[in-house]
């Protein structure tokens, strides 16, 4: 782990990630999420009030998160298991969303696929719903997606966490990471109301 006062990360994994970012310069400017502070995350929420953002539960060990492996940080609320949150840094700006597990979700374990990282789980995918940003969200409009229940997509796509269920893909790891980033960017655009599709 590094802090702002220490030199940046180094080594083959970081250089590989830097290479991916440089190759994608013509696309959405999105690499690993930098180590964010509590106030930065709370100020980044798109779809809740400042008061709600101030009261929500952040991970206790922010400094200990594997930031150099994360394209976004996602977590479930330990005090309200139906609530989840995620934050990504896009174009140098943190963007965070509040999510809620759908109340109509089935409790029966079955094989499902995360719509962000396309990881297959047996009973490890949840329908998570985000209120839209602004007036549309205050009127009750929302958008949902099936996501890894633990929101550890960046770790699954890098093989740092396993599900026990594997589907062979011909894509490289870099291509799977890019696909996950594109899928999340599309979801965040829907939350912001800027999705054109």
């Amino acid at each position: 782990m590094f802090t702002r006062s220490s030199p940046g990360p180094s080594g083959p994994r970081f250089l590989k990630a830097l290479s991916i970012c440089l190759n994608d310069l013509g696309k959405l400017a999105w690499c690993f999420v930098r180590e964010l502070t509590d106030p930065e995350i709370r100020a980044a929420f798109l779809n809740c009030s400042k008061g709600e953002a101030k009261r929500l539960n952040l991970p206790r060990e922010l400094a200990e998160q594997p930031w150099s492996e994360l394209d976004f940080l996602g977590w479930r609320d330990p005090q309200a298991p139906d609530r989840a949150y995620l934050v990504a840094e896009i174009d140098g700006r943190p963007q965070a969303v509040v999510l809620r597990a759908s109340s109509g979700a089935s409790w029966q374990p079955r094989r499902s696929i995360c719509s962000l990282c396309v990881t297959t789980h047996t009973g490890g995918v949840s329908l998570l719903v985000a209120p839209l940003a602004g007036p549309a969200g205050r009127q009750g409009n929302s958008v949902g997606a099936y996501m890894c229940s633990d929101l550890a997509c960046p770790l699954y796509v890098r093989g740092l966490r396993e599900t026990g269920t594997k589907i062979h893909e011909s894509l490289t790891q870099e291509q799977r990471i890019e696909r996950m980033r594109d899928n999340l960017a599309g979801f965040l655009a829907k939350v912001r109301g800027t999705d054109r599709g």
Side-chain angles (χ1 to χ4, degrees):
M1 182 55 53
F2 69 98
T3 63
R4 289 185 182 86
S5 61
S6 65
S10 60
R13 184 174 285 164
F14 175 73
L15 294 176
K16 186 175 182 183
L18 180 61
S19 164
I20 294 167
C21 293
L22 292 175
N23 287 336
D24 290 343
L25 277 178
K27 302 176 187 175
L28 184 68
W30 184 349
C31 296
F32 296 114
V33 64
R34 67 182 166 82
E35 185 174 343
L36 297 170
T37 64
D38 183 305
E40 287 175 313
I41 294 173
R42 291 185 191 281
F45 279 92
L46 305 170
N47 62 346
C48 70
S49 70
K50 289 181 182 179
E52 290 170 313
K54 187 176 181 180
R55 293 186 300 271
L56 62 82
N57 295 306
L58 297 184
R60 289 187 181 148
E61 306 84 20
L62 271 181
E64 293 158 24
Q65 296 296 323
W67 293 102
S68 64
E69 305 290 352
L70 298 178
D71 308 278
F72 68 88
L73 174 64
W75 69 99
R76 297 299 285 254
D77 189 327
Q79 295 178 2
D82 64 329
R83 288 184 155 243
Y85 315 95
L86 67 81
V87 60
E89 192 167 25
I90 301 176
D91 291 330
R93 186 175 142 247
Q95 297 183 26
V97 293
V98 173
L99 303 160
R100 188 177 294 275
S102 171
S103 58
S106 169
W107 294 103
Q108 190 172 11
R110 61 178 184 210
R111 187 179 289 186
S112 303
I113 297 177
C114 173
S115 65
L116 298 184
C117 64
V118 193
T119 297
T120 303
H121 296 265
T122 300
V125 172
S126 300
L127 175 59
L128 296 176
V129 178
L132 297 185
R138 290 191 292 276
Q139 293 171 3
N141 296 318
S142 61
V143 61
Y146 287 94
M147 301 181 197
C148 294
S149 297
D150 58 5
L151 295 167
C153 301
L155 303 181
Y156 289 119
V157 83
R158 288 173 172 80
L160 300 174
R161 189 172 288 183
E162 298 291 330
T163 66
T165 307
K166 283 217 171 202
I167 291 181
H168 175 73
E169 285 194 279
S170 59
L171 298 178
T172 65
Q173 184 180 81
E174 288 80 12
Q175 290 169 326
R176 292 194 304 272
I177 291 169
E178 183 178 340
R179 177 181 62 193
M180 176 188 64
R181 290 175 177 169
D182 288 345
N183 291 341
L184 180 58
F187 180 74
L188 291 176
K190 289 177 183 175
V191 174
R192 289 191 309 268
T194 57
D195 179 46
R196 298 188 183 103

